[in-house]
Amino acid sequence: MHSHTIERWKVFELSLDGPAAGNPFTDVTFSAQFKYRNRVLEPDGFYDGEGVYRIRLMPDMPGVWTYVTKSNHPELDGHTGEFTCTEASPENHGPVRVRNTYHFAYADGTPYRQIGTTCYAWVHQGDILEEQTLATLKDTPFNKMRMCVFPKHYIYNANEPVHYPFERDQAGQNDLTRFDLLFFRHFERRVEQLDELGIEADIILFHPYDRWGFATMPAEVDDCYLRYTVARLAAYRNVWWSLANEYDLMRAKSMADWDRFFRIIQERDPYQHLRSIHNCYQFYDHNKPWVTHCSVQHSDLEQVAKWRDLYRKPVIVDECGYEGNIEKHWGNLSAQEMVRRFWLGTVHGGYVGHGETYLHPEDILWWSKGSQLHGQSVPRIAFLRSILEQGPVDGLDPMTTIYPNASGREGKYYLIYYGLHQPAEQTLELPGGPYRIDIIDTWEMTITPLERFFEDKSQIQLPGKPDIAVRIQKA
Amino acid sequence: MHSHTIERWKVFELSLDGPAAGNPFTDVTFSAQFKYRNRVLEPDGFYDGEGVYRIRLMPDMPGVWTYVTKSNHPELDGHTGEFTCTEASPENHGPVRVRNTYHFAYADGTPYRQIGTTCYAWVHQGDILEEQTLATLKDTPFNKMRMCVFPKHYIYNANEPVHYPFERDQAGQNDLTRFDLLFFRHFERRVEQLDELGIEADIILFHPYDRWGFATMPAEVDDCYLRYTVARLAAYRNVWWSLANEYDLMRAKSMADWDRFFRIIQERDPYQHLRSIHNCYQFYDHNKPWVTHCSVQHSDLEQVAKWRDLYRKPVIVDECGYEGNIEKHWGNLSAQEMVRRFWLGTVHGGYVGHGETYLHPEDILWWSKGSQLHGQSVPRIAFLRSILEQGPVDGLDPMTTIYPNASGREGKYYLIYYGLHQPAEQTLELPGGPYRIDIIDTWEMTITPLERFFEDKSQIQLPGKPDIAVRIQKA
């Protein structure tokens, strides 16, 4: 499949026939050098079964690109060609990058305000549930999905996956030297479908909830799996690499393993997609240079500003508890509390992740299997997203001088959030006005503008009930 | 006034005539030795104006007590006498002491479960408001009042006090060598009236909110003031000594000052009433031997168990925020959140304090001036008190093995609190049953017993909404 034109930040794919004998996954090396003027990208190719080898590129500059393949096998070595990269279509903004130290933007400069959700094992549930998940996502505010490559073994997760990442024999033994191609084709199709919905795929490469042996593979297999996964997936613009869910619960891995995994991805991913690692208790040292942003599990969103200061990177609290009613402490927040945590994380200068864990007669809980949402927080999270989208393109930084829970851009925009507090009045001192002020009811989803402009210092009246925010914008 | 019989833990008072010339407050020393068998108590006396000197004793053993006075002035020296201490009447339980390391009991062994409130300056508001405060307190669950000796200068507190602790000239200059007797008689009458309502008086000896000079007196005056206050008030059984409200905001005092103040009180108070010191930000070192319990300002009640472990003393979070609607972050909690904080502190093995700060057209806010209550938390706090009174006499210790927010006594009694969490089920593993289980709605104030007894391990159903607690009692 030699496309001669390809849109910027879409996937150019080259297929070549090569050897099928032996073990092509381990015996054959295959890559290509892609060039646009003085820019060179050199992705790895991968074996895709039945003697077919593929290599994928996400061209990031419009213009004519040339390539030449490299392999230890003559059939695959030295192929050359060229293609034209065209301008991106309007809805294609490219991959997400860090911008302004603590924030994100797409490659074309469009701000990206992370509003995440989590369905750890949604790609392992079969087509009916998986398509239902995609249909549900279409009507949500979520622009990032945390999802595992490996299937999940845990409470409410007793089912077997449809596909396994490695070939298996009749007895269910994994052949850790051979990847299952149906598995990976299926997985990357789901990643692509998320992209069609404008959702970044935060791909969780390892996790501890395992009964198949994927959490305890030998180091060579781990490394080979990472290289193969990067080779297949890195060209998808919506890919983020999450080294692990709860890395600190994976007893078989050492800190040196995690560092090595990061470096493998850093070396193999030509596009330098975002990289993070998610904790259960103990944070990984997010100051390490290969970490692009903090992926945090913590219930206290008021600490976000502290972590920003500590790591000088964007902070995403991917897991702050989930709306639901299961007995696990992390899975039984009220919808109100889930929404409060989104707002708190926001006004401390960070980004927050959603999850939902309502008991279900067939154990279909959104947080792991996707399917449908049953809670009340999502419309309020969508309301928050709409407010963020009307906000400053450079993102919100903590503004504690005006209130403990406030963020914004000095002299231009302020968002104050009161949460469980219910002041009936607020004195504000804001030079550089006039400002327009809106009273926001974060639960009822109303925005009520104050009639008069605000100048310098005065007191405004507030509803005196919980879950109120105030938005202040330079008039 | 020579009473010849006095009830145990009530105030025996001896009055003698002495010198009125010079400065009796500073020139005359006066004390007495009181003896019951081999027990000796030696309180200081005090000058009460117009040549009258008084000395007060709270006898703590029934039987015949004798005394002999001591003074540097012959008129007051060497007076002897005796009186009979009778058994306490049923409603008189004596002073409150620490019991079981983390808890409190009255001297007669009756458990004391602290349910405090705060009206810092209520004794400075004049009789109409003050009597209204007493009338309000009669119908509340509160058994401790935090109250300042010195008047308060702060937002909503612009008024002058009715009385001042020192004599003043026409220009409003304090004579720091002469106490104002009307002030102290009035103050101790209010302490007595609290006792009549079963309320402990947590007397705050210093505080930073001052425009009269009481926060910045010379060390000799501070010390003299402490000795005089102890001499007048220590014989009241419901007295607790709080060295300060927000000691760390008092710039004029050093840590050595606070240590000295503690030692003065420790030396001068024959009854060793409870002693504590309250922080704004930085805790005093509650491990110091003169601190009987931790008096804490903090909004995170989930830290109580940690402080218990650190100081091995009872923890009272006197100030965790107040129900109200003022713009100060500490004074605009919803009633729901105030109630949650009481429950959270309780299930982490501590005790909590209430306050109320609703805006008022005449600036009469309960937290400072008393008068009337306008909120919704107090009936729920009363409901909690009734639950505690039905609970184990030895107090509640953290029981995190059964749930993160749970306390009780092993094998006998457990109280689990879910707060903002809303599980629909809970698995419990409790050997040593059978147990009776009640589902408690902490906001609706309902107690719903489960129909069957609970044994060993099983799952109970819960309402799946916030603000629920579970009580488990050995059947």
Side-chain angles (χ1 to χ4, degrees), chain A residues 123-345:
Chain A
V123 300
H124 302 113
Q125 305 305 320
D127 286 343
I128 292 172
L129 275 195
E130 293 172 27
E131 279 158 26
Q132 201 171 44
T133 303
L134 290 164
T136 301
L137 285 168
K138 207 170 169 3
D139 298 321
T140 68
F142 302 121
N143 59 17
K144 198 195 76 185
M145 169 64 83
R146 297 179 69 228
M147 54 192 278
C148 297
V149 178
F150 295 130
K152 187 177 175 91
H153 167 70
Y154 192 64
I155 50 169
Y156 315 113
N157 285 268
N159 55 320
E160 285 294 306
V162 177
H163 305 289
Y164 297 87
F166 295 93
E167 292 183 14
R168 280 156 70 93
D169 64 17
Q170 302 284 355
Q173 282 295 311
N174 299 306
D175 178 353
L176 296 177
T177 66
R178 290 180 173 269
F179 297 103
D180 184 290
L181 302 168
L182 287 179
F183 175 92
F184 278 94
R185 286 176 202 150
H186 173 77
F187 190 87
E188 63 207 22
R189 176 69 192 128
R190 294 306 183 207
V191 169
E192 226 169 25
Q193 287 172 309
L194 290 178
D195 185 58
E196 288 159 14
L197 297 171
I199 297 173
E200 303 294 300
D202 200 7
I203 296 174
I204 298 171
L205 295 161
F206 294 99
H207 70 78
Y209 303 106
D210 175 64
R211 66 170 174 265
W212 303 275
F214 306 133
T216 52
M217 303 186 299
E220 317 82 73
V221 177
D222 286 342
D223 296 357
C224 183
Y225 152 72
L226 289 176
R227 289 193 300 267
Y228 189 76
T229 303
V230 171
R232 291 197 74 113
L233 283 156
Y236 294 94
R237 65 172 184 257
N238 64 325
V239 163
W240 299 22
W241 306 116
S242 175
L243 270 282
N245 176 42
E246 300 180 344
Y247 82 98
D248 49 333
L249 299 191
M250 297 192 73
R251 298 270 177 91
K253 302 278 180 273
S254 68
M255 201 56 85
D257 289 324
W258 296 113
D259 292 354
R260 189 180 76 254
F261 296 162
F262 264 115
R263 289 198 308 269
I264 288 171
I265 293 167
Q266 195 178 24
E267 286 164 17
R268 299 289 170 149
D269 172 5
Y271 322 104
Q272 299 296 307
H273 286 293
L274 294 169
R275 286 178 300 264
S276 70
I277 184 166
H278 176 94
N279 64 290
C280 181
Y281 301 106
Q282 201 68 39
F283 284 18
Y284 180 86
D285 179 4
H286 301 303
N287 277 315
K288 290 186 178 173
W290 37 74
V291 177
T292 57
H293 64 283
C294 309
S295 168
V296 168
Q297 174 169 183
H298 207 285
S299 59
D300 183 2
L301 284 297
E302 305 203 34
Q303 298 200 42
V304 166
K306 187 186 77 181
W307 300 322
R308 281 173 42 124
D309 289 347
L310 193 57
Y311 301 112
R312 300 273 159 197
K313 293 177 183 176
V315 174
I316 301 180
V317 186
D318 288 297
E319 191 175 343
C320 64
Y322 304 130
E323 179 184 353
N325 66 357
I326 64 171
E327 68 176 293
K328 293 283 181 185
H329 203 63
W330 48 260
N332 54 33
L333 298 182
S334 66
Q336 285 85 347
E337 180 62 12
M338 179 92 256
V339 174
R340 272 178 214 127
R341 292 184 183 193
F342 262 83
W343 276 88
L344 273 180

Side-chain angles (χ1 to χ4, degrees), chain A residues 156 300 302 323-337 340-341 358-359 403-405 417-418 420-428 459 464 466, chain B residues 156 300 302 323-337 340-341 358-359 403-405 417-418 420-428 459 464 466:
Chain A
Y156 315 113
D300 183 2
E302 305 203 34
E323 179 184 353
N325 66 357
I326 64 171
E327 68 176 293
K328 293 283 181 185
H329 203 63
W330 48 260
N332 54 33
L333 298 182
S334 66
Q336 285 85 347
E337 180 62 12
R340 272 178 214 127
R341 292 184 183 193
Y358 281 104
L359 289 170
Y403 189 77
N405 293 342
Y417 176 61
Y418 298 101
L420 292 165
H421 296 265
Q422 51 173 17
E425 56 190 30
Q426 170 78 55
T427 304
L428 293 168
Q459 199 175 55
Chain B
Y156 316 113
D300 183 2
E302 306 203 34
E323 180 185 351
N325 65 355
I326 64 171
E327 68 176 295
K328 293 282 182 186
H329 202 63
W330 48 260
N332 54 33
L333 298 182
S334 66
Q336 286 84 346
E337 180 62 11
R340 272 179 214 126
R341 292 184 183 193
Y358 281 104
L359 289 169
Y403 188 76
N405 294 341
Y417 177 61
Y418 297 101
L420 292 166
H421 296 265
Q422 51 175 17
E425 55 191 30
Q426 170 78 55
T427 304
L428 294 168
Q459 199 175 55

Side-chain angles (χ1 to χ4, degrees), chain B residues 33 40 52 56 79 88 100 130 132 138 169 193 219 227 256 319 323 329 332-333 347 462 469 473:
Chain B
Q33 251 195 11
V40 179
V52 177
R56 290 173 178 161
H79 292 261
N100 293 335
E130 293 173 26
Q132 203 171 40
K138 206 169 173 354
D169 65 18
Q193 286 172 309
R227 290 193 300 267
E319 192 175 343
E323 180 185 351
H329 202 63
N332 54 33
L333 298 182
V347 294
L462 297 173
Q473 300 177 86

Side-chain angles (χ1 to χ4, degrees), chain A residues 101-118:
Chain A
T101 309
Y102 303 111
H103 304 288
F104 300 99
Y106 293 97
D108 74 350
T110 306
Y112 171 81
R113 289 94 168 184
Q114 194 271 178
I115 298 278
T117 191
T118 297

